[in-house]
Amino acid sequence: MKPVLEIVGLKKHFIRCEALRGVDMSIPAGQIVGLLGPNASGKTTLLKIVAGLQQPTGGQINYFEDAEPGPKARKTIAFCPDTMSFPGWMRVRDAFGFYREMYPDYVQDRADELIRILELDQLQSTHVRRLSKGMKERLMLSLTFSRETRLYLLDEPLDGIDPVGKMRVIDAILAMQPEGSSTLVSTHLVKDIERIFDSVFFLSKGQIVFSGACDAMREENNRTVEQAYLEVFIREGTI
């Protein structure tokens, strides 16, 4: 089966830095994949390029059959950024209305279920600007998974969320990923979320320095993803 996402030699140069230096990745259908690395390793840049929000300097991205490359990718790929600015007048219910009008793949039943799972029921009339950071993260995740598509990109979805909230977010990812779809999750909070990953890629200074299937890591090498993460990045000198 063709991968949902295949990245070959992806590069991104900014004026003062080389954010991505030849990244290769392949994500099969039906998986939850971790893109793991410390801050400033290039994770957000990679996700923004895949989502069509930035242009790469070099390399190639191959999407699933219905997706278009470049800026048009955002029509068929659901991206949950680590932060998002909402207009001052927008309430929670308005945010869902905006997604309903913007994306043809928006499904109201999915949105209703996510509102319930992530406990946004009582906040529909609340201005988004008044939400805590954790509740804004829950809102963004709800909006992202209210779309029914083949690829979801989540940038640090647990950042700023309390322990109980983290469990709800993880449950929402597991419950709401459609069959045959895949989710790529960037995070440095490995211990909190590693149990849901099928495979992982470790990104350091713009390069993949380790990749592997999580079951094999646990069963054959007798170590957790967090242990592997610490070993690799201590060796890399980045943590």
Side-chain angles (χ1 to χ4, degrees), residues 43-216:
K43 302 188 303 295
T44 295
T45 298
L46 190 151
L47 291 188
K48 285 184 175 180
I49 291 174
V50 173
L53 300 175
Q54 291 183 0
Q55 289 296 313
T57 305
Q60 184 175 355
I61 303 175
N62 299 313
Y63 299 94
F64 55 93
E65 60 274 8
D66 297 328
E68 297 182 73
K72 293 182 179 179
R74 68 190 72 178
K75 294 180 180 179
T76 50
I77 293 171
F79 175 49
C80 182
D82 58 343
T83 58
M84 176 174 269
S85 298
F86 293 89
W89 56 266
M90 186 172 281
R91 300 175 188 269
V92 170
R93 62 168 176 264
D94 300 321
F96 284 97
F98 173 77
Y99 264 61
R100 183 170 54 248
E101 293 179 8
M102 180 65 66
Y103 298 108
D105 54 15
Y106 179 93
V107 179
Q108 189 61 55
D109 287 347
R110 294 178 61 82
D112 293 340
E113 181 65 8
L114 284 156
I115 288 169
R116 184 191 65 78
I117 293 174
L118 294 174
E119 298 184 329
L120 295 170
D121 317 60
Q122 305 303 315
L123 298 174
Q124 292 294 296
S125 298
T126 303
H127 283 94
V128 176
R129 68 176 185 271
R130 298 188 180 278
L131 297 177
S132 66
K133 178 174 174 55
M135 293 310 294
K136 286 180 181 176
E137 293 282 358
R138 293 197 202 189
L139 172 60
M140 280 308 308
L141 191 76
S142 298
L143 293 169
T144 302
F145 276 103
S146 68
R147 300 175 59 188
E148 188 163 13
T149 185
R150 295 287 309 281
L151 180 61
Y152 298 87
L153 307 174
L154 312 182
D155 192 9
E156 298 288 356
L158 302 182
D159 196 27
I161 299 180
D162 62 86
V164 174
K166 288 176 182 177
M167 295 303 298
R168 293 191 181 280
V169 166
I170 291 169
D171 289 343
I173 295 171
L174 290 171
M176 301 308 295
Q177 177 175 296
E179 185 176 355
S181 298
S182 294
T183 301
L184 179 61
V185 184
S186 88
T187 186
H188 64 281
L189 302 174
V190 182
K191 185 176 181 179
D192 293 322
I193 198 172
E194 69 165 86
R195 67 179 175 87
I196 74 171
F197 292 144
D198 296 294
S199 60
V200 291
F201 292 87
F202 293 176
L203 188 66
S204 177
K205 301 174 184 176
Q207 292 182 306
I208 300 296
V209 293
F210 176 88
S211 64
C214 295
D215 284 346

